[in-house]
């Protein structure tokens, strides 16, 4: 459902970290929370994942927008900050 305004999105994902001693990759459960202006919950998810994909290892794994590892709440026209 499209509803323009501020959203708070929470994404639990598997972040890849390279162990400097062994050179092997380790998946670390990571939680990321952000507030963003979006057209819908799915748009909020896409904005968060786009942001993260530019900053973490490309082998990191992100959940589905419909999965239990993405949560959101609509904050309204203005953030509650």
């Amino acid at each position: 459902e499209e509803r323009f305004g501020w959203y708070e999105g929470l994404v639990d994902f598997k972040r890849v970290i390279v162990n400097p001693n062994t050179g092997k990759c380790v998946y670390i459960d990571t939680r990321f929370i952000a507030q963003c202006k979006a057209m819908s919950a799915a748009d909020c998810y896409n904005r968060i994942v786009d942001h993260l994909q530019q900053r973490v290892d490309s082998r990191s794994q992100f959940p589905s927008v419909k999965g239990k590892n993405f949560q959101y709440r609509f904050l309204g026209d203005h953030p509650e900050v």
Side-chain angles (χ1 to χ4, degrees):
E1 173 183 335
E2 285 198 4
R3 186 174 180 191
F4 184 73
W6 285 92
Y7 288 81
E8 181 176 81
L10 178 150
V11 177
D12 288 322
F13 68 103
K14 300 278 187 189
R15 183 176 186 174
V16 170
I17 304 290
V18 178
N19 183 328
N21 297 328
T22 63
K24 293 185 178 182
C25 295
V26 178
Y27 286 91
I28 305 293
D29 289 330
T30 305
R31 174 168 283 180
F32 185 82
I33 302 171
Q35 292 180 352
C36 63
K37 214 170 217 185
M39 293 297 297
S40 65
D43 185 34
C44 172
Y45 171 85
N46 290 332
R47 288 172 183 262
I48 290 171
V49 171
D50 288 346
H51 173 81
L52 290 171
Q53 285 177 332
Q54 295 174 18
R55 289 161 177 80
V56 298
D57 191 294
S58 63
R59 295 168 285 191
S60 297
Q61 299 174 354
F62 296 97
S64 164
V65 67
K66 295 181 181 180
K68 65 180 181 177
N69 291 323
F70 171 65
Q71 300 169 21
Y72 73 93
R73 69 183 172 124
F74 182 71
L75 300 176
D77 293 333
H78 303 283
E80 296 176 353
V81 177

